[in-house]
């Protein structure tokens, strides 16, 4: 079984990533890890993130504005400096993300610093097709990108 890691990210950055809008995450550190990365929405918000959401006119779906849960997953493709994404900070490591997938059920998890091993039952957040989570995800994603 392949190793999967998780990372805690403040809101609204976590929601922007899982909505497929934010394609890089900026960190002061790098890792050798590549592959599936679970996005855990931390318990805190970032005012700068909300300012950026307002500036861009993005309407994030309420379903993605959860705290203390695994929101979804992305592929961590690479970690570089000076990526050409509008989201990249040139003074930090730019974690290049792709293939954002929302969870169908949000699994509660305590966040940690750095990359961490998710709880053993994390997969139920992606396999429970009868969950009330994000039904009609493509419509939710379209609303986030177009602002409604």
């Amino acid at each position: 079984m392949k190793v999967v890691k998780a990372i805690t990210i403040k809101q609204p950055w976590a929601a922007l990533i899982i909505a497929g809008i934010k394609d890089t995450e900026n960190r002061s550190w790098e890792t050798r890890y590549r592959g599936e990365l679970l996005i855990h929405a931390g318990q805190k918000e970032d005012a700068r993130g909300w300012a950026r959401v307002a500036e861009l006119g993005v309407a994030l779906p309420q379903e993605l504005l959860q705290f203390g849960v695994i929101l979804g997953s992305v592929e961590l493709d690479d970690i570089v400096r000076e990526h050409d994404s509008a989201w990249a900070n040139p003074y930090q490591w730019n974690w290049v993300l792709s293939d954002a997938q929302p969870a169908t059920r949000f699994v509660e998890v305590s966040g940690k610093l750095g990359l961490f091993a998710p709880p053993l039952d994390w997969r139920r957040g992606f396999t429970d097709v009868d969950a009330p989570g994000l039904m009609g995800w493509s419509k939710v994603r379209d609303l986030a990108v177009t602002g409604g």
Side-chain angles (χ1 to χ4, degrees), residues 1-17:
M1 184 176 286
K2 70 178 184 173
V3 173
V4 174
K5 296 289 186 178
I7 190 166
T8 298
I9 299 176
K10 293 178 183 177
Q11 287 288 28
W13 303 119
L16 286 164
I17 289 169

Side-chain angles (χ1 to χ4, degrees), residues 22-142:
K22 186 173 185 273
D23 62 356
T24 57
E25 172 62 11
N26 300 298
R27 295 284 158 161
S28 61
W29 50 280
E30 60 178 323
T31 178
R32 292 180 192 223
Y33 180 81
R34 300 294 186 276
E36 187 173 14
L37 182 63
L38 302 179
I39 303 299
H40 172 260
Q43 294 290 347
K44 296 183 180 179
E45 298 178 87
D46 185 343
R48 292 173 303 145
W50 288 113
R52 187 76 189 267
V53 166
E55 172 188 317
L56 295 172
V58 173
L60 286 169
Q62 276 303 123
E63 293 90 344
L64 292 181
L65 299 177
Q66 307 292 320
F67 295 89
V69 299
I70 294 174
L71 278 185
S73 69
V74 295
E75 284 295 314
L76 174 56
D77 297 322
D78 204 1
I79 299 177
V80 299
R81 293 263 194 194
E82 300 183 23
H83 192 270
D84 61 359
S85 169
W87 297 98
N89 180 334
Y91 304 106
Q92 292 188 305
W93 290 103
N94 310 141
W95 293 31
V96 182
L97 310 173
S98 66
D99 195 28
Q101 299 293 320
T104 55
R105 176 183 299 273
F106 300 131
V107 177
E108 289 187 31
V109 175
S110 294
K112 296 184 171 85
L113 293 176
L115 293 180
F116 63 95
L120 296 176
D121 67 345
W122 71 266
R123 281 185 179 18
R124 72 183 166 96
F126 294 86
T127 58
D128 189 351
V129 294
D130 294 326
L134 294 174
M135 298 304 180
W137 172 246
S138 62
K139 182 178 179 187
V140 170
R141 182 174 288 185
D142 290 345

